[in-house]
């Protein structure tokens, strides 16, 4: 059940808890348990229902009861109200505690813009640039201190490739339309991006997904030092994609990894909850 940490919402929690206990008792009787036995099974839960107990809650409360067994957990999860009567504990709502909430990062790369977004299975948000030290805003911001003549030659072509380099075919790189000097400048740009990302995520272990024009992704991977960068990325110009669209594509990449982690956690559930 959801719980609260402050008035006036906290006043609703005992009422909600009493109603859920009533539903649990009704389901136990419906499944064949004698009413007196159902009440006895829920006695430990009833004894919790005191004012002091409700003044020390988190975002959610999970309760497990069985013959000769009772545990409750105050948890940082926003549960929906749920009563389950079964021959085994229903642990699926707790999986985010064991595997994380599906959190990942998305690095969207283009010549005009670098964006870092943080996502979960349900949502995605952009991390504001001012919150990330040493992350270059664009390719131009990196090249601005280079020799003026070289910079002008690199940036002044009339041909524009969205998300890529001026004057380059969107599907090319060194040896296929981008010369060695230009590729070296991309590498310098991405090296600074990588430095900013590494400083922002020094102790993180969550997946990082790249989004960008296809030929840029392998160049970034060459300079990357974040150990949890995924091989698969999102190809295309991220400037043209809404965050919601990027979230959909990124979640399709990271979801199988989280599902495997959840499976491993479920296999450990008896050890955790019956310890």
């Amino acid at each position: 059940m959801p719980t609260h940490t402050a008035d006036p919402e906290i006043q609703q929690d005992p009422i909600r808890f009493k109603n859920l206990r009533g539903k649990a008792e009704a389901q136990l009787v419906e499944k064949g348990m004698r009413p007196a036995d159902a009440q006895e099974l829920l006695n430990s839960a009833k004894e919790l229902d005191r004012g002091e107990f409700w003044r020390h809650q988190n975002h959610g409360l999970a309760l497990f009861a069985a013959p000769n067994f009772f545990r409750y957990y105050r948890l940082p999860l926003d549960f929906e109200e749920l009563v389950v009567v079964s021959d085994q504990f229903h642990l699926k709502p707790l999986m985010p505690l064991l595997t994380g909430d599906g959190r990942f990062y998305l690095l969207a790369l283009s010549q005009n813009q670098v964006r870092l977004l943080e996502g979960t299975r349900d949502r995605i948000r952009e991390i504001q640039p001012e919150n990330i030290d040493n992350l270059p805003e664009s390719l131009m911001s990196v090249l601005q201190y280079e020799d003026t003549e070289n910079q002008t030659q690199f940036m002044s072509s009339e041909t524009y490739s969205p998300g890529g380099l001026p004057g380059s075919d969107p599907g090319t790189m060194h040896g296929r339309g981008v010369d060695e000097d230009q590729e070296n400048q991309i590498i310098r740009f991405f090296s600074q991006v990588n430095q900013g990302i590494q400083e922002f995520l020094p102790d993180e272990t969550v997946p990082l997904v790249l989004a960008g024009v296809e030929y840029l992704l392998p160049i970034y991977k060459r300079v990357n030092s974040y150990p949890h960068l995924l091989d698969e990325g999102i190809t295309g110009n991220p400037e043209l994609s809404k965050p919601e669209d990027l979230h959909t594509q990124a979640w399709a990449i990271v979801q199988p990894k989280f599902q495997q982690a959840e499976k491993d956690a479920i296999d450990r559930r008896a050890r955790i909850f019956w310890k």
Side-chain angles (χ1 to χ4, degrees):
M1 59 172 280
T3 52
H4 302 86
T5 59
D7 289 328
E9 293 86 354
I10 195 175
Q11 299 176 16
Q12 301 299 317
D13 293 343
I15 300 173
R16 181 180 291 112
F17 187 57
K18 182 178 180 179
N19 292 337
L20 292 174
R21 291 202 323 269
K23 290 182 180 180
E25 183 177 339
Q27 290 186 29
L28 287 166
V29 172
E30 183 180 337
K31 288 182 177 293
M33 183 175 286
R34 294 190 308 162
D37 293 337
Q39 292 175 8
E40 181 179 357
L41 182 62
L42 296 171
N43 271 343
S44 295
K46 186 176 181 180
E47 292 174 0
L48 290 178
D49 195 1
R50 299 188 178 96
E52 183 67 18
F53 175 75
W54 296 112
R55 284 193 289 271
H56 300 280
Q57 293 299 316
N58 206 315
H59 294 295
L61 176 65
L63 185 150
F64 300 90
N68 303 313
F69 181 90
F70 178 76
R71 299 280 176 83
Y72 68 89
Y73 302 89
R74 300 180 177 99
L75 300 169
L77 297 175
D78 294 319
F79 294 126
E80 295 182 4
E81 291 186 10
L82 179 66
V83 173
V84 176
V85 174
S86 177
D87 60 353
Q88 59 183 343
F89 289 145
H90 182 71
L91 303 181
K92 187 175 181 180
L94 275 65
M95 287 302 103
L97 290 175
L98 305 178
T99 64
D101 58 357
R103 192 163 65 97
F104 65 92
Y105 287 99
L106 172 67
L107 179 59
L109 298 168
S110 71
Q111 79 156 29
N112 296 313
Q113 189 179 51
V114 177
R115 291 185 293 161
L116 181 65
L117 300 93
E118 183 180 24
T120 65
R121 68 187 70 215
D122 300 316
R123 61 185 65 89
I124 197 166
R125 69 177 183 92
E126 183 172 349
I127 298 173
Q128 296 305 309
E130 58 267 23
N131 295 327
I132 311 176
D133 295 333
N134 301 320
L135 185 70
E137 297 178 359
S138 65
L139 178 60
M140 175 65 82
S141 68
V142 173
L143 300 182
Q144 62 183 336
Y145 298 111
E146 292 193 350
D147 180 82
T148 302
E149 181 178 353
N150 290 339
Q151 180 176 322
T152 302
Q153 178 181 2
F154 185 74
M155 299 298 294
S156 64
S157 171
E158 295 180 355
T159 304
Y160 174 68
S161 170
L165 295 172
S168 67
D169 186 315
T172 62
M173 56 183 294
H174 176 47
R176 296 172 54 201
V178 176
D179 65 31
E180 185 174 357
D181 288 340
Q182 293 172 343
E183 185 176 342
N184 287 337
Q185 290 175 332
I186 301 173
I187 291 173
R188 177 170 176 255
F189 171 39
F190 283 171
S191 294
Q192 292 196 25
V193 172
N194 172 68
Q195 180 181 348
I197 294 297
Q198 191 64 49
E199 292 176 0
F200 184 73
L201 308 175
D203 302 313
E204 288 282 7
T205 59
V206 299
L208 174 64
V209 180
L210 288 182
V213 175
E214 185 173 5
Y215 74 90
L216 293 177
L217 301 189
I219 301 179
Y220 185 85
K221 290 177 182 179
R222 285 163 54 187
V223 302
N224 170 69
S225 59
Y226 181 70
H228 305 287
L229 177 67
L230 300 185
D231 290 334
E232 185 177 358
I234 300 170
T235 57
N237 178 14
E239 292 180 40
L240 305 178
S241 298
K242 297 179 180 178
E244 295 79 10
D245 296 332
L246 292 172
H247 176 264
T248 299
Q249 297 178 77
W251 183 248
I253 294 172
V254 300
Q255 184 181 25
K257 299 184 178 299
F258 291 123
Q259 287 177 333
Q260 181 60 48
E262 288 185 2
K263 180 180 181 300
D264 295 341
I266 290 172
D267 292 341
R268 299 192 303 268
R269 69 186 186 276
R271 213 165 48 244
I272 295 173
F273 285 93
W274 287 95
K275 182 185 293 185

